[in-house]
Amino acid sequence: MQIALNARILQAPRTGIGHYLAELISALAHDPDLELSLFHGWGWSSSLPKATMPGYSRLTPLLRQIPGSYQARRWLEQRRFDRGRSATIDLYHEPSLWPLAFKGPTIMTLHDLTHLHYPSTQPAARLREIERRLSQGVQQARLILTDSQFVAQEAQHYFGLGPERFVVAPLGAAARFHPRSNASLQQVLQPYGVKPQGYFLCVGTQEPRKNLSLALRAHTELPETLRQRFPLLVIGMAGWERRQFSDELNNALAAGHVRLLGYLPDEHVAQWVAGARALIFPSVYEGFGLPVLEAMASGTPVILTRRSAMPEVAGAAGNYIESDDLHGLCAAMSHLVEDEAHWQTCREAGLQQAKLFSWERCAAITAHAYRQALGG
């Protein structure tokens, strides 16, 4: 089977969907029946591009202000997608929100419905384009892959589709996420003056949906001695609406108890995750919650909200809070610091839970969906 995959998102710094696509492509490459053609926005390739680091562009904010910029970019992408594509492509897989036009069988991956539940988390121009294009894409796709049963069920209800149109393909944790010895972490941690299991960690793009402000406020409420011993470190890009929690962030930074590490290379992220006392993930909505799985696979306990798809990922291994429960988050953080037996129990439970997920399994389910869409 020749499969066309829209891999344009891999040209940008990789966050959730980018990591999903990169790992999926690598795992699908082991299937001898599949031949992958990757569309990278300007043309076609058979090789996975290297991850890029973020860089500020003065042009991007200006383009967002131009009426019709999303539509113009879409038109250009469609032309490039059609140009140079092999005539023997059997199926097109769109791994993000809306497929490009393709006359043959199409599969799409619907990671979440964030735009529906939390429209304020999207820039206005992008939200309008999602609302215009997504319904068309859903109708175009023969099958719709989702990362979780939660997203499959809410999409069935929202679009009025039957369950036979959906295939749940849970994500996996990359091989770089595994338990590490304290000695192996020193090179990355020591320049920041922290020790293994000596800090709390948040991972994710800094945007309102991730609810970082709750983590900042909860950390501020901890006793002074705990804040000094266990600073809060934040990994991720600034996002599009950082000003929504700038007061909390600036105050915490000024106090020296919170540190922004920014966007880091993948291997460094894995080391920081493995070295944390706990991952704090207070997101209000996730279609899966990949950092939760990656932390558990690394032997790091997780504090998270009992919202959306996240209980499917963490199972009984999670330390659950409500998304607005400041005191509950403070208590969960203190418990993981002060009770070593509890910390160890959470660590072992997370390692066992993480074994239920893998990119090999995700790829196998995806390949089966390809064959199903083609009538095999």
Side-chain angles (χ1 to χ4, degrees):
M1 285 185 293
Q2 289 197 8
I3 308 297
L5 263 162
N6 187 353
R8 185 185 65 81
I9 196 170
L10 295 181
Q11 303 299 318
R14 291 178 192 172
T15 54
I17 298 178
H19 287 301
Y20 157 78
L21 184 55
E23 294 293 339
L24 178 64
I25 289 172
S26 296
L28 287 173
H30 296 289
D31 189 323
D33 295 331
L34 299 182
E35 181 179 338
L36 304 181
S37 294
L38 309 181
F39 174 65
H40 52 73
W42 295 91
W44 293 84
S45 173
S46 60
S47 59
L48 189 67
K50 293 182 179 180
T52 59
M53 295 294 288
Y56 178 75
S57 172
R58 295 182 182 272
L59 185 60
T60 299
L62 294 175
L63 289 175
R64 287 178 177 172
Q65 304 302 317
I66 300 174
S69 60
Y70 277 97
Q71 293 90 332
R73 187 176 68 180
R74 176 77 173 187
W75 180 81
L76 286 172
E77 286 178 6
Q78 184 69 60
R79 293 198 64 180
R80 293 165 183 154
F81 181 80
D82 295 334
R83 187 188 308 140
R85 186 178 69 228
S86 170
T88 58
I89 293 294
D90 296 302
L91 180 143
Y92 162 44
H93 180 185
E94 172 54 57
S96 190
L97 278 174
W98 54 80
L100 293 159
F102 181 69
K103 292 182 179 180
T106 298
I107 277 182
M108 68 176 291
T109 302
L110 182 61
H111 296 281
D112 56 54
L113 292 175
T114 300
H115 74 284
L116 175 65
H117 298 290
Y118 301 97
S120 62
T121 63
Q122 296 284 346
R126 177 173 168 80
L127 179 62
R128 288 193 296 270
E129 192 69 2
I130 292 173
E131 292 173 340
R132 193 167 74 90
R133 297 280 188 179
L134 181 56
S135 293
Q136 299 174 10
V138 166
Q139 295 302 322
Q140 177 182 338
R142 290 191 179 181
L143 289 175
I144 302 165
L145 292 165
T146 64
D147 304 338
S148 63
Q149 188 63 42
F150 169 83
V151 174
Q153 290 175 346
E154 67 169 1
Q156 290 168 32
H157 176 75
Y158 179 68
F159 293 108
L161 300 174
E164 70 280 356
R165 291 282 303 280
F166 292 85
V167 175
V168 179
L171 312 186
R176 62 183 175 273
F177 291 99
H178 58 82
R180 298 170 185 255
S181 68
N182 290 350
S184 69
L185 298 171
Q186 290 299 326
Q187 185 175 359
V188 169
L189 272 56
Q190 192 169 23
Y192 292 84
V194 295
K195 298 179 180 180
Q197 288 80 56
Y199 57 91
F200 294 107
L201 185 68
C202 288
V203 176
T205 301
Q206 297 169 33
E207 62 180 58
R209 176 171 61 96
K210 298 300 183 180
N211 201 20
L212 177 61
S213 61
L214 182 70
L216 296 173
R217 288 185 285 121
H219 190 263
T220 301
E221 292 292 321
L222 292 175
E224 175 70 20
T225 54
L226 282 187
R227 293 203 303 274
Q228 290 180 349
R229 287 175 53 206
F230 297 91
L232 176 63
L233 277 57
V234 181
I235 293 176
M237 291 188 293
W240 72 274
E241 190 93 82
R242 175 169 157 178
R243 67 178 182 270
Q244 290 201 10
F245 46 77
S246 59
D247 289 342
E248 294 100 331
L249 181 57
N250 289 334
N251 291 338
L253 290 170
H257 300 140
V258 173
R259 305 173 197 175
L260 299 181
L261 303 185
Y263 184 94
L264 299 177
D266 291 344
E267 177 60 23
H268 287 191
V269 173
Q271 293 182 60
W272 281 108
V273 170
R277 186 68 180 183
L279 176 77
I280 304 175
F281 200 74
S283 178
V284 296
Y285 178 86
E286 296 288 331
F288 187 82
L290 193 53
V292 171
L293 177 59
E294 292 167 344
M296 293 191 302
S298 304
T300 298
V302 178
I303 304 172
L304 71 164
T305 54
R306 197 184 296 274
R307 299 286 292 269
S308 54
M310 289 181 283
E312 289 184 50
V313 180
N319 294 273
Y320 292 101
I321 59 167
E322 296 301 321
S323 60
D324 59 352
D325 188 358
L326 176 65
H327 298 298
L329 179 51
C330 288
M333 295 165 73
S334 297
H335 196 188
L336 285 169
V337 167
E338 297 168 348
D339 190 334
E340 188 67 27
H342 173 65
W343 183 86
Q344 192 65 41
T345 296
C346 292
R347 169 185 168 86
E348 294 300 328
L351 287 168
Q352 292 303 313
Q353 178 71 10
K355 292 179 181 179
L356 302 177
F357 302 85
S358 71
W359 286 114
E360 289 75 19
R361 179 189 176 209
C362 181
I365 295 172
T366 301
H368 181 74
Y370 292 165
R371 296 179 178 94
Q372 184 179 348
L374 290 170

